[in-house]
Amino acid sequence: MNALLGQVGVWLGFAAAVSGALLLSVSLVRRARGRATDPRLDGRLLAPLVVLGMGIAVAAMEHALVTHDFSIAFVADNNSRATPLLYSITGLWSALAGSILLWGLALSAFTGLLVWRYRASRDPVVAWATLVLFCVSAFFIGLMLGPANPFVHVVGQAPAQGAGPNALLQDNPLVAIHPPLLYLGFVGFTVPFAFAVGMLATGRVGERWQIETRRWTLAAWTLLSVGIVLGAWWSYQVLGWGGFWGWDPVENAALLPWLCGTAYLHSVLVQERRGLLRVWNLSLSVATFALTILATFLTRSGVIQSVHAFSESTLGPLLIGFFLLTVAVGFGLIAWRGDRLRAPGGIDAPLGREGAFLLNNLLFVGFAFVVLLGTLFPLLYQALKHQAVTVGAPYFNTVAVPVGLGLLVLMALAPALSWRKIDAGVLWHRVAVPAWAGVLVIVGCVAAGLRGVAPLLAFGLGTFAASSAVRSIALSVRAGRRAGQGTLASFRTRANGGMVVHLGVVVLAIGITAATSYTQRGELALSPGQTRTFDGHTLRFERLATVTSASRRATQALIQVDHGGVFRPAVTQFAGTNSQVVGTPAIDSGFTGDVYLTFDALGGSGGATGAQVITNLASGSIGLGVTVEPLIDWMWAGGLIIGVGGLLAVFPGRRRRATDPVSGRAGEAALGAGPADPPLEEASADEARPSVGAGTANR
């Protein structure tokens, strides 16, 4: 029954998406020929059916997982009767076919949301955007009718006990949050791409819809940002290696659209204010979406081996074909409309906000190219030379460190810059206090015994950038209060949301720098009752303990840390026929750093599997892996702050009508253009002085 209901849902969603695309195509052709269209045949009316179909399919699969319906092959392979409820639910995205099902649900949700948001609009740009979303939805839902069918029946008699999820996917509740947010971020970038196609197809390439697209991009970017940070946290807590980012190809695949999306969010502000960078912004919209498809290919085609990737499948040719089609359509339309995309002017001077955003874009896109090259080179080399080659972390870090430092400099300077250009003296007046704060932090770090040019620069520039963001927020709130607004209303602006995101990025950067520059690792041989010290921490091995339940069996080492709490690193074997033993770290977390503990039997048992590993611990002695990582919890706090800032920017408290920088006319309120930046230069009397050749005020 679950399989039948699920198939009905998939077919309903696919038929509705295809029919909606066809009806919209006919409507657009008739409109182009000047002929009237029947409102009853509006293809957008089928969007709720796409949502309904995918909702039915997902509900059927979840019911099958929760009730352990092993007649469905996907359930038999990724669930067992002993699997806890939470991990039965998350089993939906623990394997290939289920992940495509979740992807289809997210696509249908964004399609329905777009149709509802512009339900009163008859603008052809909206019709084209909806058409694109229907087409993308039809492609992904169509995969579930063929090579990625999640409702295939088990051949022969259904097993009495399923194989169970991968052990790494039932050892931490973050698996319930990280993948859905990542998928929503990926899928959310379909909307900006759809609007880009709509603008190019209709020739409506002005600022109105580009500004509207920014909000959708910002929502997708926020979801993806938090999803990536949670993925790093999951890796840190589950994989037992004490790290959080290994430049794995799948990690890189998620980073690539994030980098291009971040570049777009900054450069589109230049188009909003000055009407510049039109070709660049549309290219970034296309590239960001195309990179999400490339990431899907890398994770779901079997071309790479990774703890994050799915097993081999037949989706590779279809996904790479769709990627190439996306690139051809998007950049082909940009080339076709090249004449209409000419900017009305140029960047007046590099010492201005436009110049800072342009440099910001060059850093982000350049780094994205480096990551893309390092990710794809091993695949291309193996395909051409039939030899394996790897590109390791040193390659990526060589570029990541200077790019990161450069971005911190821009984050510190950009809030103090005016549009067009600014006098150097005025700029120094605005950044003097944040700059001196950064210098004092560097001096304090050196006095505390910290060494290393790159980390000290990161701490100093991070303080500089954070102080600059706080200054910007304070001036904005003060200006709002002078205008008669309350403190909260003055704070809730799009620009302040961006500054909160900057604060989150700084906190994240400081955590990454400290954890990667000053981490200490070691392994201690301990017998029961023995105490050892490592990097200033006292560790006492109390004893081994065995914990059993219906879903797992674990052998824990009870470790007292710094004469305080007892922590329990373990080796765990989960129930199910696919059972394997995995290490489960224990982490003593604190504001200043973590003590990360793992263990194994002395003498090594790397070749042992299953119950043999646990049996080998019977001697009672262990090898305790200890990693001391300073400020790593700042990474997770930074991710949370980024999420809060992103939400504030997507849903600001006050808005005004956006002005087209070319025509000078106000945009329509219905387009939902976000508020402009706050009047930073008008916040105080001495800061209101016009700079030499300042041009337009920063209003």
Side-chain angles (χ1 to χ4, degrees), residues 248-338:
D248 179 280
V250 176
E251 295 172 338
N252 297 346
L255 182 64
L256 287 168
W258 183 88
L259 290 170
C260 286
T262 307
Y264 171 83
L265 288 173
H266 288 86
S267 65
V268 77
L269 287 173
V270 180
Q271 182 174 348
E272 180 179 346
R273 283 303 189 94
R274 299 286 314 283
L276 308 178
L277 304 180
R278 293 179 177 180
V279 173
W280 181 252
N281 288 326
L282 288 167
S283 298
L284 285 175
S285 291
V286 173
T288 302
F289 174 69
L291 287 171
T292 66
I293 304 302
L294 181 63
T296 308
F297 164 75
L298 292 174
T299 56
R300 289 165 176 81
S301 62
V303 297
I304 58 174
Q305 300 298 318
S306 166
V307 68
H308 305 282
F310 295 102
S311 58
E312 285 193 33
S313 75
T314 59
L315 297 183
L318 294 172
L319 290 171
I320 200 66
F322 190 65
F323 165 75
L324 294 174
L325 176 64
T326 297
V327 171
V329 170
F331 289 104
L333 285 171
I334 291 173
W336 178 47
R337 292 295 190 185

Side-chain angles (χ1 to χ4, degrees), residues 269-449:
L269 287 173
V270 180
Q271 182 174 348
E272 180 179 346
R273 283 303 189 94
R274 299 286 314 283
L276 308 178
L277 304 180
R278 293 179 177 180
V279 173
W280 181 252
N281 288 326
L282 288 167
S283 298
L284 285 175
S285 291
V286 173
T288 302
F289 174 69
L291 287 171
T292 66
I293 304 302
L294 181 63
T296 308
F297 164 75
L298 292 174
T299 56
R300 289 165 176 81
S301 62
V303 297
I304 58 174
Q305 300 298 318
S306 166
V307 68
H308 305 282
F310 295 102
S311 58
E312 285 193 33
S313 75
T314 59
L315 297 183
L318 294 172
L319 290 171
I320 200 66
F322 190 65
F323 165 75
L324 294 174
L325 176 64
T326 297
V327 171
V329 170
F331 289 104
L333 285 171
I334 291 173
W336 178 47
R337 292 295 190 185
D339 290 341
R340 296 199 181 192
L341 294 173
R342 292 177 181 173
I347 293 177
D348 299 322
L351 189 59
R353 194 168 291 190
E354 303 98 313
F357 283 155
L358 180 60
L359 181 56
N360 161 289
N361 268 231
L362 293 176
L363 289 174
F364 274 115
V365 174
F367 186 48
F369 176 78
V370 170
V371 174
L372 180 64
L373 181 63
T375 303
L376 296 182
F377 178 77
L379 301 178
L380 298 175
Y381 188 87
Q382 186 171 8
L384 296 175
K385 299 290 187 179
H386 304 288
Q387 295 178 355
V389 65
T390 59
V391 176
Y395 163 81
F396 297 102
N397 291 334
T398 300
V399 182
V401 172
V403 167
L405 294 175
L407 289 173
L408 286 175
V409 172
L410 291 176
M411 287 170 59
L413 295 177
L417 294 172
S418 299
W419 293 102
R420 299 184 184 274
K421 56 186 176 181
I422 185 174
D423 181 77
V426 175
L427 177 61
W428 171 247
H429 172 76
R430 295 175 183 174
V431 302
V433 173
W436 280 115
V439 171
L440 289 175
V441 166
I442 293 178
V443 172
C445 289
V446 172

Side-chain angles (χ1 to χ4, degrees), residues 672-699:
D677 295 335
L680 300 184
E681 280 65 57
E682 299 172 8
S684 62
D686 68 334
E687 289 193 348
R689 299 193 308 266
S691 59
V692 178
T696 307
N698 180 24
R699 294 179 296 174

